[in-house]
Amino acid sequence: MNAADLRLPVDVPSTALFTDRYELTMLQGALRSGTAHRRSVFEVFTRRLPEGRRYGVVAGTGRVLDAVENFRFDSGVLDFLADRKIVDEATLDWLAGYRFRGDIWGYPEGEVYFPGSPVMRVEGTFAEAVLLETVILSILNHDSAVAAAASRMSVAAGERPLIEMGARRTHELAAVAAARAAFVGGFTSTSDLAAGFRYNIPTVGTSAHAFTLLHDSERDAFRAQVDSLGEGTTLLVDTYDVAEAVAMAVEIAGPGLGAVRIDSGDLLLLAHRVRRQLDELGARDTKIIVTSDLDEYAIASLAAAPVDAYGVGTQLVTGSGHPTCSMVYKLVARADEDGADAPLRPVAKKSMGGKASVGGRKWAARRLDAYGVAEAEVVGTGEVPAELVERQLLVPLVRGGETVAREPLSAARDRHAAARAALPMSATQLSRGEPVLPTEHP
Amino acid sequence: MNAADLRLPVDVPSTALFTDRYELTMLQGALRSGTAHRRSVFEVFTRRLPEGRRYGVVAGTGRVLDAVENFRFDSGVLDFLADRKIVDEATLDWLAGYRFRGDIWGYPEGEVYFPGSPVMRVEGTFAEAVLLETVILSILNHDSAVAAAASRMSVAAGERPLIEMGARRTHELAAVAAARAAFVGGFTSTSDLAAGFRYNIPTVGTSAHAFTLLHDSERDAFRAQVDSLGEGTTLLVDTYDVAEAVAMAVEIAGPGLGAVRIDSGDLLLLAHRVRRQLDELGARDTKIIVTSDLDEYAIASLAAAPVDAYGVGTQLVTGSGHPTCSMVYKLVARADEDGADAPLRPVAKKSMGGKASVGGRKWAARRLDAYGVAEAEVVGTGEVPAELVERQLLVPLVRGGETVAREPLSAARDRHAAARAALPMSATQLSRGEPVLPTEHP
């Protein structure tokens, strides 16, 4: 897949170096000891949700599929590995032909998860599966953290649109992924042009204080903006005096003015005042957009205020206090010998310091109560109980190295809304609490 | 500059879309109103440090220079902007010829900063400077946050090496930038191969629990690793029983075993026990590396333990509680008319909700006391007082569009160590406190 297919602002010739060095040295050791081709199962899960959170949101799945497809060791990469003596010749030869040919299952993107949920399962030889650890975790840990924050904000915002505008607060490419994850979590649009380019997310934005300050007067700036962008534009009204600016905005654009934006001060108070003023001026359809260090709690506190849309930056892209999930990628089963049919043996690190794993290749299902509301996340090994067969959560994503689960981003967004709606009502409380579903290991 | 020159694992044909949409709509408005070519000065600064932090660390400057050089609107980008009707034809024409031709000054990379420090200053026409807001802030906000955490960890670690291993906890490309920023802040090496490839940072890493679990016994795994990587390797000893593993490790590798790694449990207790055991086994030079959810406080708590190196992941790449800085990019001065010689007028948003700016093009200097210790960050407009001329902090980075301040990453790392050493001693206390220097506006 080339850059044009990916519609990336940044070409990704290979994702193979988004890898911790130990994955390659383990590969070398396993090739040498003859264990590299044992069939192996790795699972991605988290032992806990961030403190106080009631559910997690799987995001980044589509990006994992891109990353796996582009995980190739081209000559530039191989030269680097040889030059720095990172692995030996035999390993370099093996890497030159690398392509993931195994299977990947996972919770579909947008689905919710709980402690112990096997959100992704990678099956193949040890050699081919061990190499994907870092890039899969990078993507899922980052994107799921942002999506979880976005989901809480979208609960708080109700039907009002949410604009993602955090690019300036995070790494420039993390920003693109964050805009994508925010969309999955329920956001409506983004300020980030790269996210519009790459993922076709609607982009918005009109002006900053600099535009007002550039002109000889606020009046000149408003007139310039309306001349250029039309009366439907959004005028930023808090550079000097808000009331004066609102009056001037309606005078210049007319009562058809699209919106005003307030980016500082007491947003609750200002929203009420500005709404009253706009209504008195006849600009009843002019919307009010607020944007100033918002998080889910600030959004909720404005629920009764006459606000039409929220722009959210810092707290979104930093996961509202939890910028990463604690997902891990663990070997849970492997064969004793080579071959696709060799039986699997569960394996697990011994418990110490809370880092124990549950061995064995797992299934997961969400059990519903008599009213159709989710009541437990059931995670087991072996046979799936008959009553849960239809409620299984893992779906095939890659089969024999071929991606089988491409979907438009809107499908993940819709899935998230549906999955969240099927949780017990307490899931959407913003207050700290326990995971809203218990995880059962039958 | 092409990908090969950048030595990027990811090609960057253009950084022009790492931009919030409003920068382009402001450009369109300004082109239309005739103000686009007024000489303008934008400054990057922060109003406060993260709560309790005593100093900030400038990082990402070198990446900003890459981003500015690669900020071009190629046909793919222009087609996107036209197709989505983001800007009008006149603006597209102007963008097609875009190249930043102004000047950029800044605190050199690795320097420390305080509230109000003008860490970067961009001068040019409004049109050319306004477009760089988002990409500059993305880079500096992310990289400086990681470098600040790294600096605190390196204070806590003293002379012991610090290994960056957080790639799996953050976006896959943020990880590369994080490894770079960590190096500036005092880290020694990284697990991230892309960071080694792109920035020539030393990479390290040997094996995970999966390698032990893959083999039929821990003994088989250790033997495989030593066979493949030599006795100087690092064996992971906490998959099952630590004491048994240490005994086996020395038995297999001999007393020349490079190191053992402990990744779980009570690190303080285990480090002492393992050191005693290694010494009793004659492996006096075998090092102990610890890696388990470390932050600066955990590192400090191990200062008296027989630990030889620390591996740090999550808390490093998430800025140890502060994953972003609050740097902003503000228009502080602009001319009333076109032309390079038009006099500048200070401009600033009116104070409301703590978002006031200080207008005017600024200089900054660090005043020393009689003993050569820094005692104040002095930030002013107009003439620089004679006694501070030699203590100025801003250096030229770009002149007339040409980068003039390329340097090896080690220069930034050395500069940071020197700048931190020149601060009052309380700078390196890990406890919460006020900024260690006051910012004065004479």
Side-chain angles (χ1 to χ4, degrees), chain A residues 328-415:
Chain A
V328 294
Y329 184 89
K330 294 294 173 189
L331 182 67
V332 296
R334 51 92 183 154
D336 285 344
E337 55 196 50
D338 289 3
D341 300 326
L344 290 171
R345 168 196 299 277
V347 295
K349 176 183 183 321
K350 191 186 154 198
S351 172
M352 187 168 66
K355 284 199 177 181
S357 301
V358 180
R361 178 180 185 276
K362 294 174 204 71
W363 53 262
R366 192 159 297 148
R367 197 174 66 232
L368 306 186
D369 67 14
Y371 304 96
V373 177
E375 64 173 13
E377 191 86 342
V378 190
V379 177
T381 57
E383 193 89 6
V384 183
E387 70 275 17
L388 292 176
V389 166
E390 295 299 312
R391 300 290 311 157
Q392 289 190 83
L393 291 158
L394 289 152
V395 300
L397 301 172
V398 174
R399 279 193 195 277
E402 296 303 318
T403 300
V404 296
R406 290 264 171 222
E407 61 180 9
L409 199 58
S410 58
R413 189 173 191 271
D414 294 345
R415 182 181 298 115

Side-chain angles (χ1 to χ4, degrees), chain B residues 150-164:
Chain B
S151 176
R152 287 164 59 84
M153 291 168 183
S154 93
V155 164
E159 296 297 309
R160 295 174 178 173
L162 283 164
I163 307 162
E164 187 285 304

Side-chain angles (χ1 to χ4, degrees), chain B residues 47-60:
Chain B
R47 298 186 178 94
R48 69 200 83 85
L49 298 180
E51 201 190 330
R53 291 283 177 84
R54 294 165 189 264
Y55 60 93
V57 181
V58 177

Side-chain angles (χ1 to χ4, degrees), chain A residues 224-247:
Chain A
Q225 186 175 327
V226 171
D227 279 353
S228 172
L229 301 172
E231 64 170 13
T233 193
T234 299
L235 292 169
L236 178 60
V237 291
D238 69 338
T239 306
Y240 306 111
D241 180 88
V242 173
E244 283 178 27
V246 169

